[in-house]
Amino acid sequence: MASDGFFKPIQDDITSALVNTTKTSTQLANEDLAFQRSSNRSIAISLDKQASRLLRLAQGLTKAAVAGTDIPSPGLRDAEAVEDNWRSVVDVVDNLLEKTDACLDEYTGVIKRATTPQADTQSPAITARKQLPTKSFRAQNIPKPQLLFDRKTDNSETAVFEPLLRSKPHALVPLEESLAFSIAEDGVKRFRHPYEAEIEQSQCPPKTYLISDPIAFLPFESTTATFVDTIEGVTGMLADLKSAKEIAIDLEHHDTHSYIGLVSLMQISTREKDWVVDTLKPWREELQMLNEVFTDPAILKVFHGSTMDMIWLQRDLGLYVVGLFDTYHATVALGYPKHSLAFLLSKFANFNAQKKYQLADWRIRPLLPEMFDYARSDTHYLLHVYDNLRNELIEKSDLSQPDGNLVDYVLKKSKEEALQRYERHYYDAEGGTGPNGWCNMLIRTPALLTKEQFAVFRAIHEWRDKIARKEDENPHLVMPKHALFSIAREMPMDMPSLLGCSQPISIPMRLYAADLLEMIRHAKEAAVNGPELKDVLSSNTFIRGKRFSKEATALSQSSAVPRKSESAESLQYSTPQVRTGRSRFWGSLLSDSPFRRGDSGDLQGKFHLSLPLPQLTAEAVESTKAFDESAQEPAQTDSDLSSKNRVATNEESLAKDIFVIKELSGPRKRKSTDFEDERKAKKVQTSMQPPNDDTTAHDDDNGSEIKVDDVREQAIHDKAARKAQKKAQKNLLKEQWILERVASANDKADGKVRAEEVFDYANAPSVLHAKEDGGSRKGRKETFDPYTKSLDAPKAVKRTMKDVPGRSFTFKR
């Protein structure tokens, strides 16, 4: 749309085509198409063909229109689908019209977009959290700067990494001795850390242990940073750095279009100045002159999260750090809820960093203003943050404790970071070990693969690593993880199937697709005699608890020659015998069980676990042995003791025990008095009977035997006697009451009147001030209570314990 003369012919052509199409469709609708279709077969075929073509075109247009939006594409398979999804078609058209309207307004100048850098820096906190970098900030298809480096990138895994150091400022050990080989514990030759002795013996300036007022930082808006992209600029910057007491350093790294990654930018700040150094120049190794400052123990170097920075500096630039202070470890020592640099900048400098540029492609040259400001902000405030953290560390240190000095703790952790060494990435094709190995991928993304699929998966993973090394690309860029699993499951045997299940298709994938197909065929053929996935995982060191810590990762990357993974026999663990002959719950009850067949002591020879047990610690083994020894002693004594000895052993502990025996589904419970009478009646001296006689029972009190029939008859006799006694007492009381009534009636009939006693009013108690009698209130009229009826409300039924019918006895020894 360069000019109206270019746009006018296109507009006329589109308008003419639309008008003709509309007229033709209107004329066709007025005719009887159904009659023509039924009368002429050729017309029906032509109509169906044109209808299918129009539907395909409409489907393609709608898909193209909704690309990059949240609007779903309507499915237009036939004429009925058009009617069913007409509302979706309208939504697509409305979206296109809105976009067209906005574009026309921009073109005519009605709407103008604010593209100044100030608009982005005014509210960084709002945009940084919710927006990702635009496409112009992310990975770009630009020429690889590593192709122009004086030292070419070496992605091989057979050569040992040799430090790039050409001179050694502030050396305690000469450079020749520092670069000597050392034999590691695994028997692999490695170069020693060139500044190992200097880092271990370094002492930070005394000012680090003193509380002082934080030095205010210069305003970010009124100052600027110097972009260094020449050797002369590096020399001038070095002169200013030598006069500083503390400097702040940070790096920006790129690893999308590189196998091992590239240090793309380095930011350095003092109290007065900021520098942004371009580290992608062909002469990048000339930056080793900065070692005069970086290795000076009198100058404190402040980093945040320096774990990878130490690796990247020595790998790409040959730079080492002596006198490191990592603010990340300071946040850990102080127990901060967050440990990120953005949190520290917000807390101490009231600055909200735009972390969306952290994912930007830092190879872009020239740097965009937004990216330049973001890189500068990482170190501009870092020294002020260090001042506040140092003061807080000193205040919260407890010097009375051995490890109470928090400043020493941070410096110790910082030395450990500085002593890291870079080693080349080694690919273990057989065992899959290492941070980029196939075993790690399977653990992070579990998948059920057959024997053939597993063989194809391993072959594709190895092929991806080889292509990434050859083309100097990130393995995930060559083939994403989801595409790798998709090809492993589908196992395509032709080019269309391969390209169909490996979306998106990268450039290396297109270049080497034929080789990949041939490799898949060979992997399927070799899978016949290959291992199963579960067998490989069960014998792998990754599953057996050896997770990839920093040390394990370094070992996996440091081999000089390819090593085969350890076999299953070499990974056998000398697990102690932890099985006992006595169960903690069942005791020795199951020792002679008929269900136990054979000896189960040799567990390793009879059972193979897909996921083996973790390593047993020394404490667990000792506790198991102690239990086994304690369990064997009672097992031996129980087999030798008789029943009398066991009763004698437990007699004291059971002397005060009370226990109840209850017989369910029997007659109702009797009173304890009745049972005592019946029990006394049972104690009849009889002659000894055989123990298997059902008509006798033992008495525990004197050891004699009682006949069951005699006991039953005696109990019935006692019960009848008690009933007769109660009845006689009741009749006697009734006769006494009748005699008293008859006597009073005779007295009245004889006219005998008893003289009434004269009432003594002088000595009578007061009626108005009468005291309540604590005795019985029987016969007295109760006082009227007007609130009595208000309390007559329904009450809940009390919960009662339902007694199970039967017979129970309580014993006490």
Side-chain angles (χ1 to χ4, degrees):
M1 198 179 295
S3 63
D4 293 340
F6 173 76
F7 179 71
K8 185 64 176 176
I10 298 178
Q11 183 181 12
D12 294 340
D13 293 342
I14 294 176
T15 303
S16 175
L18 288 174
V19 169
N20 294 333
T21 303
T22 304
K23 289 181 179 179
T24 303
S25 61
T26 305
Q27 295 174 359
L28 291 175
N30 293 331
E31 298 179 2
D32 189 3
L33 294 179
F35 174 76
Q36 296 294 338
R37 178 188 292 273
S38 61
S39 61
N40 193 337
R41 180 174 177 79
S42 61
I43 295 179
I45 296 175
S46 178
L47 288 175
D48 293 340
K49 183 178 180 181
Q50 294 300 326
S52 301
R53 176 175 173 271
L54 292 175
L55 287 174
R56 288 196 302 270
L57 291 175
Q59 182 72 28
L61 289 174
T62 54
K63 284 185 177 181
V66 300
T69 65
D70 297 333
I71 303 175
S73 176
L76 305 178
R77 297 180 301 276
D78 49 26
E80 295 180 356
V82 175
E83 296 181 1
D84 296 339
N85 299 324
W86 181 248
R87 185 59 191 172
S88 300
V89 176
V90 173
D91 293 339
V92 174
V93 176
D94 289 344
N95 182 57
L96 287 176
L97 293 176
E98 291 176 359
K99 289 182 178 180
T100 304
D101 188 36
C103 292
L104 290 176
D105 290 341
E106 271 188 51
Y107 177 73
T108 57
V110 176
I111 299 177
K112 293 184 179 180
R113 291 186 177 181
T115 57
T116 58
Q118 290 78 6
D120 295 334
T121 58
Q122 288 178 355
S123 57
I126 299 177
T127 58
R129 295 182 181 179
K130 295 185 178 180
Q131 296 182 4
L132 292 174
T134 59
K135 189 175 181 181
S136 59
F137 296 149
R138 290 176 293 191
Q140 301 290 313
N141 292 324
I142 60 178
K144 294 182 178 181
Q146 59 264 38
L147 298 178
L148 302 177
F149 291 166
D150 293 341
R151 183 188 295 267
K152 301 304 179 182
T153 304
D154 185 8
N155 296 324
S156 63
E157 56 180 338
T158 57
V160 180
F161 174 76
E162 182 178 359
L164 308 180
L165 202 60
R166 294 179 294 191
S167 62
K168 188 178 179 182
H170 308 284
L172 298 179
V173 179
L175 177 62
E176 293 74 14
E177 297 182 13
S178 301
L179 296 180
F181 276 106
S182 63
I183 307 298
E185 296 179 357
D186 55 356
V188 180
K189 285 186 177 182
R190 297 185 182 90
F191 283 98
R192 296 171 53 189
H193 193 291
Y195 277 91
E196 181 178 358
E198 288 77 8
I199 293 174
E200 292 178 348
Q201 301 179 25
S202 64
Q203 298 292 333
C204 285
K207 184 181 177 181
T208 311
Y209 297 91
L210 300 177
I211 296 179
S212 60
D213 294 335
I215 301 176
F217 52 83
L218 298 178
F220 189 84
E221 295 78 9
S222 60
T223 58
T224 184
T226 303
F227 186 73
V228 180
D229 57 352
T230 62
I231 298 180
E232 292 76 11
V234 177
T235 305
M237 178 185 65
L238 180 60
D240 293 335
L241 292 178
K242 288 181 179 180
S243 61
K245 298 300 181 182
E246 306 96 1
I247 61 174
I249 307 171
D250 191 30
L251 303 177
E252 302 299 338
H253 191 261
H254 175 82
D255 56 4
T256 302
H257 291 283
S258 173
Y259 183 79
I260 61 175
L262 298 169
V263 176
S264 304
L265 215 62
M266 178 167 56
Q267 306 94 272
I268 305 176
S269 295
T270 62
R271 301 282 184 180
E272 298 81 15
K273 294 183 180 181
D274 300 325
W275 292 273
V276 178
V277 183
D278 186 1
T279 58
L280 294 180
K281 292 296 182 179
W283 45 266
R284 61 194 318 223
E285 289 191 24
E286 299 297 329
L287 292 172
Q288 290 188 26
M289 67 177 70
L290 295 178
N291 276 327
E292 297 182 16
V293 174
F294 281 27
T295 60
D296 187 356
I299 302 177
L300 189 69
K301 275 69 67 176
V302 181
F303 283 76
H304 181 82
S306 60
T307 302
M308 297 307 301
D309 292 342
M310 299 297 105
I311 298 293
W312 296 338
L313 284 174
Q314 57 183 280
R315 180 197 67 192
D316 291 355
L317 307 177
L319 294 175
Y320 296 85
V321 178
V322 179
L324 171 66
F325 187 97
D326 194 335
T327 55
Y328 167 80
H329 293 291
T331 62
V332 175
L334 294 172
Y336 281 1
K338 297 180 181 179
H339 310 293
S340 64
L341 179 59
F343 171 75
L344 295 178
L345 296 180
S346 177
K347 178 179 177 64
F348 295 110
N350 195 23
F351 178 82
N352 295 329
Q354 300 187 38
K355 285 301 178 182
K356 65 179 181 180
Y357 298 110
Q358 192 172 12
L359 302 176
D361 189 349
W362 291 100
R363 303 175 304 160
I364 298 176
R365 297 293 184 272
L367 283 175
L368 299 178
E370 299 88 347
M371 298 173 63
F372 185 84
D373 291 340
Y374 165 79
R376 175 196 173 199
S377 66
D378 282 350
T379 57
H380 181 78
Y381 304 96
L382 192 54
L383 291 179
H384 179 73
V385 171
Y386 155 74
D387 291 339
N388 289 273
L389 292 176
R390 179 201 61 213
N391 291 342
E392 192 171 351
L393 288 170
I394 298 174
E395 291 173 355
K396 293 186 176 181
S397 296
D398 186 4
L399 300 181
S400 62
Q401 301 294 331
D403 298 331
N405 194 328
L406 298 182
V407 177
D408 287 341
Y409 167 81
V410 176
L411 295 177
K412 177 183 177 183
K413 291 295 183 181
S414 301
K415 286 184 178 181
E416 293 177 1
E417 300 287 2
L419 286 171
Q420 296 183 97
R421 293 181 298 105
Y422 170 72
E423 300 294 344
R424 296 192 187 278
H425 291 272
Y426 163 69
Y427 185 80
D428 183 8
E430 184 177 352
T433 58
N436 296 326
W438 54 261
C439 185
N440 193 17
M441 181 179 292
L442 283 178
I443 296 303
R444 295 178 182 272
T445 309
L448 297 176
L449 303 177
T450 63
K451 183 184 294 187
E452 291 184 350
Q453 291 174 341
F454 178 54
V456 172
F457 172 82
R458 294 173 60 182
I460 297 174
H461 196 279
E462 183 179 4
W463 171 87
R464 186 183 73 162
D465 185 80
K466 289 181 179 179
I467 298 301
R469 292 176 186 270
K470 181 179 180 180
E471 299 294 328
D472 197 14
E473 295 282 359
N474 191 295
H476 296 283
L477 184 68
V478 175
M479 181 182 293
K481 181 172 64 174
H482 68 273
L484 196 154
F485 278 100
S486 178
I487 297 176
R489 292 190 183 97
E490 298 296 332
M491 295 183 293
M493 303 302 294
D494 53 68
M495 189 63 66
S497 301
L498 175 62
L499 299 180
C501 62
S502 59
Q503 299 294 333
I505 304 174
S506 62
I507 296 178
M509 177 77 178
R510 291 185 181 275
L511 292 176
Y512 300 97
D515 298 338
L516 179 59
L517 274 178
E518 187 66 23
M519 185 207 57
I520 294 174
R521 295 191 187 97
H522 288 305
K524 289 185 65 177
E525 295 175 357
V528 179
N529 300 323
E532 293 282 355
L533 173 61
K534 62 182 183 63
D535 296 335
V536 174
L537 292 181
S538 62
S539 62
N540 196 278
T541 57
F542 187 88
I543 306 299
R544 292 185 178 271
K546 296 185 179 179
R547 296 285 180 178
F548 290 105
S549 59
K550 292 181 180 179
E551 294 79 6
T553 304
L555 290 177
S556 65
Q557 299 175 359
S558 60
S559 300
V561 292
R563 296 173 299 171
K564 293 185 178 180
S565 63
E566 295 173 288
S567 60
E569 291 75 14
S570 62
L571 294 172
Q572 293 293 334
Y573 284 82
S574 58
T575 55
Q577 186 70 19
V578 298
R579 192 174 182 87
T580 65
R582 179 183 173 88
S583 171
R584 296 190 180 186
F585 182 78
W586 297 105
S588 59
L589 181 64
L590 300 179
S591 59
D592 298 330
S593 173
F595 299 100
R596 297 169 63 93
R597 303 298 183 189
D599 185 16
S600 59
D602 186 12
L603 296 179
Q604 295 183 356
K606 298 183 179 180
F607 298 99
H608 300 280
L609 300 178
S610 297
L611 296 179
L613 295 174
Q615 283 281 15
L616 291 175
T617 60
E619 291 80 0
V621 175
E622 292 297 330
S623 61
T624 307
K625 291 180 178 179
F627 169 72
D628 195 7
E629 294 173 358
S630 62
Q632 291 176 0
E633 293 180 0
Q636 295 174 359
T637 56
D638 289 348
S639 60
D640 299 334
L641 291 176
S642 62
S643 60
K644 293 182 180 181
N645 292 335
R646 284 196 297 268
V647 172
T649 304
N650 299 328
E651 184 176 1
E652 294 181 0
S653 61
L654 299 177
K656 298 181 180 181
D657 292 348
I658 298 176
F659 56 94
V660 177
I661 301 176
K662 189 169 185 179
E663 178 186 1
L664 300 179
S665 302
R668 68 179 182 83
K669 233 178 356 179
R670 289 179 292 175
K671 297 181 179 179
S672 60
T673 55
D674 297 342
F675 174 73
E676 291 294 337
D677 296 339
E678 182 178 343
R679 188 169 176 271
K680 291 179 180 179
K682 289 181 180 179
K683 296 179 180 180
V684 181
Q685 296 290 342
T686 58
S687 59
M688 298 297 294
Q689 297 293 335
N692 58 352
D693 191 358
D694 296 338
T695 62
T696 62
H698 293 278
D699 187 8
D700 294 337
D701 292 343
N702 49 24
S704 60
E705 296 182 355
I706 306 172
K707 290 187 177 181
V708 178
D709 295 339
D710 295 344
V711 172
R712 189 179 293 110
E713 291 178 0
Q714 183 67 25
I716 295 173
H717 176 70
D718 292 344
K719 185 176 181 181
R722 287 194 299 271
K723 290 182 68 175
Q725 184 181 359
K726 288 182 180 181
K727 190 173 182 180
Q729 292 178 357
K730 187 176 181 180
N731 293 335
L732 181 61
L733 293 175
K734 188 175 182 180
E735 290 176 0
Q736 291 178 358
W737 179 76
I738 293 175
L739 292 175
E740 290 177 358
R741 293 293 300 270
V742 172
S744 63
N746 292 336
D747 291 342
K748 290 182 181 181
D750 294 342
K752 297 180 181 179
V753 180
R754 289 177 293 181
E756 296 183 357
E757 296 180 359
V758 180
F759 183 76
D760 187 1
Y761 289 96
N763 298 324
S766 175
V767 178
L768 295 177
H769 303 285
K771 296 181 179 180
E772 289 290 339
D773 187 8
S776 174
R777 297 178 57 89
K778 185 176 181 181
R780 295 178 58 184
K781 187 177 181 180
E782 296 183 357
T783 306
F784 174 73
D785 186 2
Y787 302 102
T788 303
K789 292 186 178 182
S790 63
L791 300 176
D792 296 340
K795 297 181 180 179
V797 180
K798 294 184 178 180
R799 185 176 180 182
T800 59
M801 297 298 294
K802 186 177 179 181
D803 191 13
V804 181
R807 181 183 301 171
S808 64
F809 305 118
T810 303
F811 298 92
K812 182 175 181 181
R813 296 185 65 88

